[in-house]
Amino acid sequence: MEDVKTLTETIQISYVIMTREKFAEKNTLLMKFLKKSYAINVFMLQSDFLCDILKKCKESGVHTAIDTAGHISWKVFEKILCYTDLFLYDIKAFNNDIHRKYTGVSNELILENLQKLFERGANVCIRIPVISGVNDTVEEMQKIKNF
């Protein structure tokens, strides 16, 4: 368990104070340790950094997964698509009014990006955080399913 704690601290420290080159260099051992999967959910806003890490992972034979809510420019997805094995994609609500009310943003960009990922043949796992009284209706779930 101590190894996991150290591993977590290394990731956090690397993210904060290291350049992407140094991060990739230092985390060759990290990638070997993980071997099968390397999920990243905070780097979407730093797409060049993310792209570099994903490239290194792929070069090392590490399965890559991106955890995202999808509310980001399509240009970021385009940049990382060929280095990403799986997108873990959150759909919080299909109804735009509900989505806007509870998240503060429209879901239009989110759904557009999801559609583009499907069109490009990306491997996508949709996750729906079911919230009682908000998005838990049969109608809402049916709309997400039919999308």
Side-chain angles (χ1 to χ4, degrees), residues 91-111 128 133-145 147:
I91 300 293
K92 295 174 179 69
F94 190 82
N95 179 294
N96 195 32
D97 293 333
I98 291 172
H99 194 277
R100 187 182 301 275
K101 179 178 179 181
Y102 290 97
T103 66
V105 297
S106 168
N107 67 358
E108 290 177 17
L109 177 62
I110 295 164
L111 296 176
I128 306 165
V134 176
N135 68 348
D136 61 343
T137 66
V138 172
E139 179 184 0
E140 183 72 10
M141 293 299 143
Q142 195 68 38
K143 286 180 181 177
I144 293 170
K145 177 184 172 249
F147 180 77

Side-chain angles (χ1 to χ4, degrees), residues 4-119:
V4 173
K5 182 180 178 208
T6 303
L7 182 63
T8 303
E9 290 170 355
T10 300
I11 292 170
Q12 291 170 349
I13 291 168
S14 297
Y15 178 70
V16 174
I17 63 172
M18 288 187 184
T19 65
R20 60 179 170 252
E21 292 83 10
K22 197 68 166 172
F23 181 90
E25 175 188 318
K26 291 273 188 198
N27 286 293
T28 300
L29 292 175
L30 166 68
M31 287 185 247
K32 287 179 183 174
F33 176 77
L34 294 172
K35 292 192 180 170
K36 293 185 180 178
S37 184
Y38 191 47
I40 303 169
N41 63 357
V42 295
F43 295 123
M44 291 287 283
L45 296 174
Q46 297 184 12
S47 61
D48 291 335
F49 187 63
L50 173 60
C51 193
D52 288 347
I53 292 171
L54 291 172
K55 282 180 190 178
K56 289 287 187 186
C57 288
K58 295 306 288 179
E59 289 169 3
S60 299
V62 176
H63 182 272
T64 57
I66 297 294
D67 181 356
T68 183
H71 194 265
I72 197 157
S73 167
W74 175 249
K75 289 180 181 182
V76 174
F77 284 102
E78 280 183 313
K79 189 181 290 188
I80 64 170
L81 187 57
C82 65
Y83 304 110
T84 305
D85 295 308
L86 173 65
F87 289 92
L88 304 170
Y89 206 101
D90 291 349
I91 300 293
K92 295 174 179 69
F94 190 82
N95 179 294
N96 195 32
D97 293 333
I98 291 172
H99 194 277
R100 187 182 301 275
K101 179 178 179 181
Y102 290 97
T103 66
V105 297
S106 168
N107 67 358
E108 290 177 17
L109 177 62
I110 295 164
L111 296 176
E112 286 173 16
N113 285 336
L114 179 58
Q115 183 63 42
K116 289 176 182 176
L117 286 172
F118 286 147
E119 289 168 0

